[in-house]
Amino acid sequence: MTKSLTLATLLFSSAVFGAAPLTWSPCGTNLDCSTLSVPLEYAPSSKSTANASIALVRYNATVSSSQRLGSLLVNPGGPGASGLSFVQAGAGAGISTITGGFYDIIGWDPRGVGQSTPLLQCFPTAEEEYTFSEALPGSPNLWLGMFSNSSYDAQVTTEIAEFDTAVAKLADACVNQSSEALYTSSAAYVARDMAAIVDAVDGVDARLNYWGFSYGTIFLAEFIQAFPTRVGRVVADGVVDPQANALTYKSQLPNDQVSVRDALNDFVSFCEEAGSNCPLSIPPTGVTSSLSQRIDDLFEKLFLDPIDYFGTPISLDSFNVFLWSFIRVPVTWSLVANIIQGLEVRNATLLVNLVSSQAASAPTDPTAPGVGTQSEFPLTCMDNAASSSVTLQDVIDLTKSISIEENTPFLSAGLTPISFCRNFPDTRPLLPVAGVSSMSDADYVLSASNTTILIVNPANDPTTPLISAKKLRSLLPNSSRLAVRGGPGHTSVSLASLSLSQAVHDFFVSGTVPADEVYHDADQNLFPAGSGGSIVAAASFNGTSYTEGEKGLLDAIYGVLLAFLAIA
């Protein structure tokens, strides 16, 4: 009886207001766009009658209407990434191919983001946003060897304190801007928007079909707890631990680094196996150290003796931010190897050229409104527990202990979230996030209806480690299955696997649930001949006799990855 009452209360409190019919307009090849009006505030205690506008895009199913299986929502994560741009950049076509063309692929800009309104802005004008973002440091200048040497303690404290102060100014700016979206854009609100989208595209109370990547798995965790009877075929890919995410970032920071060293080891192994296709595998004249040791030595050398690039010092903080960003995308490793090869002989040209090519351009209209480029950080805090109790000493101690324990060389490049949230107010949205508070109830309902969540994760994902996927699996013991893609990369699509692609296809098309914890080999060649001259290596797969359908699946996965990179 207690279980039934709990579930009844859960379902009753998760009502979604009815949405007006959508009007779609063409916005690209096989693409239509629309907007959906939803309540700005979902909390029952609120008296607000204001609305938010959610920007939508649809990549139309390619099968006949009689064969169509409905809509499939997709989200690239973030938080704050544009689902609309993701689908338009090629993810719509790629995911449609992977799922057999049976679904309309629906992307949306989560509230506060992109073309949805109100926008979560931290600065009133584009000029102020650009100027602040350009000056904001990406990382304190710290080297792994400092953390076990007490003679560096004062320098570590100074570096982290100065970085924390800079990030605190961003937190202040986001609060002072007083955006309507600031306290109405948490994952709990996004989950209810997802229900409203499904109502609008497939009918009231229709089931959600969904492929959520990275932080999109947090939106899924909220949805299945709020609407367990409305879950259809869903995939959680590259899992953020929902339990840790609902606590302060002190709980999430260790997860961020669990597989970083494994990913670095994969980089070394793939490079060495590639031989001459990865010139970094050949050491400079007179050097006899292993490649792994050479890379660790480079961290130390850049810290102790920065490279002088025409008067500009290239120090470890720059390298850390670069490698932290690119280690999660294995198809960039040919270029990464060439950059490291240059730095090893004190030539920073390739690194400087890459950073320059990726730099944001100054706004053409300085007085235009800001576009929310820093929204990721307040959005993260909204889903974390109040964090003002996290002290600067906590950040320092965690940086040291996690770096040493995990032997991870660039945790410092991932300190912005914890610094931002500890300097952000403890105010949270009126509608609280579920975290994992109703996960047991959701598991009960899902299992009773024979609904299975498919959890997918790379073995050595440096951003969302496999342990987080296993945590979600343990939270849904009766209603989930786990599939593991071998190797590195963030989310399964970062490195194509034919067998995993086929398993995902079968799950979405026919509802076939794979056996638990099946391991799927990666099938992508990361160092094809002639690569390294561009950011992304050309699609190259290990097999020699793929069928047309198999090659189509692999190319589609690669296309989804390119869409990720296009919106990064």
Side-chain angles (χ1 to χ4, degrees):
M1 181 61 71
T2 301
K3 175 73 73 172
S4 299
L5 287 173
T6 301
L7 292 175
T9 302
L10 173 68
L11 298 175
F12 179 76
S13 65
S14 299
V16 174
F17 297 89
L22 295 175
T23 300
W24 295 94
S25 300
C27 57
T29 303
N30 202 37
L31 293 168
D32 298 314
C33 289
S34 186
T35 57
L36 175 67
S37 181
V38 296
L40 178 67
E41 181 57 78
Y42 283 113
S45 61
S46 173
K47 302 270 193 263
S48 172
T49 59
N51 287 330
S53 179
I54 306 300
L56 304 172
V57 65
R58 176 179 67 192
Y59 184 89
N60 294 290
T62 58
V63 299
S64 66
S65 58
S66 62
Q67 294 176 294
R68 184 178 169 277
L69 294 177
S71 299
L72 171 63
L73 274 62
V74 296
N75 180 272
S82 169
L84 188 145
S85 296
F86 182 56
V87 168
Q88 290 177 322
I95 292 172
S96 180
T97 296
I98 295 164
T99 57
F102 287 96
Y103 294 91
D104 291 335
I105 309 302
I106 306 291
W108 81 101
D109 284 351
R111 52 174 56 213
V113 171
Q115 296 183 35
S116 293
T117 57
L119 188 64
L120 204 173
Q121 297 165 296
C122 295
F123 300 91
T125 68
E127 176 67 24
E128 291 172 85
E129 183 177 66
Y130 172 78
T131 301
F132 188 97
S133 298
E134 287 297 294
L136 184 68
S139 169
N141 192 29
L142 298 172
W143 164 55
L144 177 60
M146 304 172 76
F147 303 136
S148 55
N149 186 337
S150 60
S151 67
Y152 283 111
D153 282 354
Q155 188 174 352
V156 169
T157 297
T158 298
E159 283 285 340
I160 293 179
E162 291 179 352
F163 176 78
D164 188 82
T165 297
V167 175
K169 292 178 182 177
L170 175 61
D172 290 342
C174 294
V175 174
N176 293 338
Q177 187 61 22
S178 300
S179 166
E180 283 186 291
L182 184 59
Y183 295 114
T184 57
S185 299
S186 72
Y189 289 74
V190 174
R192 284 150 182 83
D193 290 344
M194 291 164 67
I197 294 169
V198 175
D199 285 345
V201 297
D202 283 343
V204 175
D205 293 332
R207 289 175 177 259
L208 169 75
N209 302 307
Y210 179 66
W211 193 345
F213 300 91
S214 192
Y215 207 84
T217 65
I218 291 296
F219 299 153
L220 176 61
E222 289 291 318
F223 186 95
I224 64 177
Q225 291 176 89
F227 307 101
T229 62
R230 296 193 58 183
V231 178
R233 296 173 185 173
V234 299
V235 171
D237 192 334
V239 177
V240 178
D241 181 340
Q243 186 170 42
N245 194 65
L247 304 174
T248 71
Y249 210 85
K250 286 172 61 176
S251 297
Q252 183 60 36
L253 190 62
N255 288 345
D256 292 347
Q257 301 296 317
V258 165
S259 294
V260 168
R261 179 56 69 171
D262 292 325
L264 275 172
N265 291 340
D266 284 336
F267 171 77
V268 169
S269 297
F270 278 107
C271 180
E272 290 177 334
E273 290 171 6
S276 60
N277 283 348
C278 180
L280 181 64
S281 66
I282 304 169
T285 302
V287 175
T288 59
S289 303
S290 68
L291 177 53
S292 181
Q293 185 61 53
R294 286 161 51 202
I295 293 173
D296 281 343
D297 289 345
L298 180 61
F299 285 108
E300 180 178 3
K301 290 174 183 176
L302 288 173
F303 175 72
L304 297 175
D305 186 17
I307 296 171
D308 184 344
Y309 185 80
F310 299 101
T312 299
I314 307 300
S315 190
L316 182 56
D317 52 348
S318 301
F319 183 62
N320 278 344
V321 172
F322 153 71
L323 201 52
W324 171 236
S325 298
F326 282 79
I327 197 68
R328 67 190 74 179
V329 190
V331 294
T332 67
W333 285 2
S334 291
L335 177 61
V336 170
N338 287 349
I339 289 173
I340 292 175
Q341 184 185 35
L343 294 174
E344 199 173 14
V345 294
R346 302 190 66 75
N347 183 342
T349 300
L350 285 179
L351 177 60
V352 172
N353 288 346
L354 174 67
V355 173
S356 298
S357 71
Q358 300 298 299
S361 300
T364 55
D365 180 2
T367 63
V371 295
T373 56
Q374 301 291 349
S375 64
E376 171 187 355
F377 303 111
L379 289 172
T380 296
C381 296
M382 289 302 101
D383 295 335
N384 289 172
S387 300
S388 64
S389 62
V390 178
T391 66
L392 179 63
Q393 192 60 49
D394 288 333
V395 178
I396 294 168
D397 292 344
L398 282 168
T399 300
K400 289 181 177 181
S401 62
I402 297 169
S403 297
I404 293 171
E405 181 178 349
E406 300 296 343
N407 192 25
T408 177
F410 40 72
L411 179 148
S412 56
L415 288 179
T416 303
I418 192 170
S419 280
F420 185 99
C421 291
R422 82 171 208 89
N423 287 289
F424 190 81
D426 284 347
T427 305
R428 290 298 181 267
L430 291 177
L431 183 69
V433 294
V436 295
S437 60
S438 299
M439 199 68 84
S440 176
D441 289 333
D443 183 54
Y444 177 86
V445 174
L446 293 168
S447 177
S449 62
N450 200 30
T451 301
T452 301
I453 309 295
L454 179 57
I455 303 167
V456 178
N457 220 88
N460 294 333
D461 188 325
T463 304
T464 51
L466 183 58
I467 60 166
S468 295
K470 290 185 174 180
K471 169 65 75 63
L472 182 59
R473 174 73 181 92
S474 71
L475 291 167
L476 298 169
N478 303 301
S479 60
S480 67
R481 296 291 183 273
L482 172 63
V484 180
R485 196 265 285 140
H490 180 41
T491 78
S492 71
V493 300
S494 63
L495 200 55
S497 166
L498 178 59
S499 62
L500 180 57
S501 302
Q502 290 170 327
V504 170
H505 169 276
D506 293 347
F507 177 76
F508 277 122
V509 173
S510 62
T512 302
V513 177
D516 198 28
E517 295 203 33
V518 172
Y519 185 93
H520 299 269
D521 288 325
D523 294 299
Q524 197 157 348
N525 179 7
L526 296 182
F527 292 92
S531 61
S534 59
I535 293 178
V536 180
S540 176
F541 307 110
N542 298 329
T544 58
S545 58
Y546 294 120
T547 67
E548 183 178 350
E550 291 171 341
K551 183 63 162 55
L553 280 176
L554 291 170
D555 285 338
I557 289 291
Y558 182 76
V560 176
L561 171 63
L562 294 183
F564 268 111
L565 296 179
I567 68 170

